[in-house]
């Protein structure tokens, strides 16, 4: 996974997806049309109907904190500068996912 101020890249095996934050409609653990969530997944629900997915449990316990981090930067564009200077890693370690934190 690569998060940048203008967008993201997800790679899972041989498959990779990229997009702009403006194209994202939701960051969740449930793909559209799926009957149950995938607790360790990060699903980027896109405006075009696609839903790039990445298993996140190998990065953080159960993938929850990493998904919350991605969701935070999707919802808070003013904080995306943190993605370029190490503050995003600090935010993840401290699990600070609220606005103003």
């Amino acid at each position: 996974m690569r998060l940048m101020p203008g967008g993201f890249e997800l790679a899972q095996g041989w498959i990779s997806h990229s997009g702009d934050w403006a194209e994202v409609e939701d960051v969740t653990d449930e793909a559209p049309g799926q009957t149950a969530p995938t607790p360790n997944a990060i699903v980027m629900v896109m405006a075009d109907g696609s839903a790039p997915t990445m298993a996140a449990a190998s990065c953080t316990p159960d993938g929850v904190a990493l998904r919350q981090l991605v969701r935070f930067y999707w919802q808070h564009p003013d904080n995306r500068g943190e993605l370029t200077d190490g503050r995003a890693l600090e935010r993840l370690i401290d699990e600070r996912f609220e606005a103003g934190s």
Side-chain angles (χ1 to χ4, degrees):
M1 171 182 291
R2 183 174 176 204
L3 303 177
M4 302 157 288
F8 68 92
E9 295 175 359
L10 298 179
Q12 186 97 4
W14 296 100
I15 300 170
S16 66
H17 301 275
S18 62
D20 296 331
W21 290 112
E23 300 171 19
V24 178
E25 292 189 342
D26 198 6
V27 176
T28 183
D29 61 349
E30 189 172 334
Q34 184 177 329
T35 58
T38 306
N40 69 348
I42 297 172
V43 181
M44 307 286 278
V45 180
M46 307 300 289
D48 68 2
S50 65
T53 302
M54 178 185 149
S58 62
C59 303
T60 63
D62 300 323
V64 174
L66 187 56
R67 183 175 48 253
Q68 289 176 326
L69 183 77
V70 174
R71 187 170 184 78
F72 174 82
Y73 287 117
W74 168 58
Q75 293 178 324
H76 302 284
D78 292 345
N79 292 88
R80 292 183 193 150
E82 297 174 1
L83 296 168
T84 65
D85 63 11
R87 289 180 290 165
L89 181 57
E90 292 172 14
R91 184 177 292 282
L92 177 62
I93 291 168
D94 297 339
E95 295 189 16
R96 291 181 291 112
F97 307 122
E98 299 296 322
S101 62

